[in-house]
Amino acid sequence: MSYPYYGPSSYGPPPQSHPNGTAILVLGILSLVICSILGPFAWVMGNRALREIDESGYYYENRGSIQAGRICGIISSVLMMLTFGFIIFGLGMAFVTGGFESGG
């Protein structure tokens, strides 16, 4: 007698996808490639989504993409802060050394 195959046995509810997972990943990648101002948004949205996932207790299948988008957002935010820091440092040095004075 053969038994019917019902597929792989799984315990618990089926995996879910967080609704903002794709948006966080896209914002993180775009913040690295095109516009770094999107980095803090990906960072904050990723933190919020991971907190929601941890508090729910369910398995979300797109947790990895949320983490990747969040990390891309963190990297982009740090690079943006360093860039602004160098710009402010350069303008400050030009102001202190008299780089903005006219020669005439």
Side-chain angles (χ1 to χ4, degrees):
M1 175 174 187
S2 72
Y3 295 99
Y5 179 71
Y6 292 111
S9 62
S10 63
Y11 300 100
Q16 301 175 355
S17 288
H18 195 277
N20 292 338
T22 305
I24 294 168
L25 181 62
V26 168
L27 282 175
I29 292 171
L30 288 178
S31 70
L32 284 175
V33 176
I34 296 175
C35 182
S36 64
I37 197 71
L38 299 174
F41 295 106
W43 188 358
V44 170
M45 287 176 64
N47 285 338
R48 186 177 303 133
L50 287 176
R51 191 176 319 116
E52 290 173 2
I53 289 172
D54 292 339
E55 290 173 356
S56 72
Y58 290 110
Y59 174 73
Y60 284 85
E61 61 187 358
N62 62 347
R63 182 184 174 95
S65 65
I66 293 172
Q67 287 177 332
R70 178 178 161 261
I71 291 170
C72 288
I74 291 171
I75 292 170
S76 175
S77 298
V78 169
L79 290 175
M80 182 177 60
M81 286 186 260
L82 286 173
T83 301
F84 285 141
F86 282 128
I87 290 171
I88 290 171
F89 177 74
L91 290 175
M93 290 302 293
F95 182 72
V96 168
T97 59
F100 290 128
E101 294 178 6
S102 62

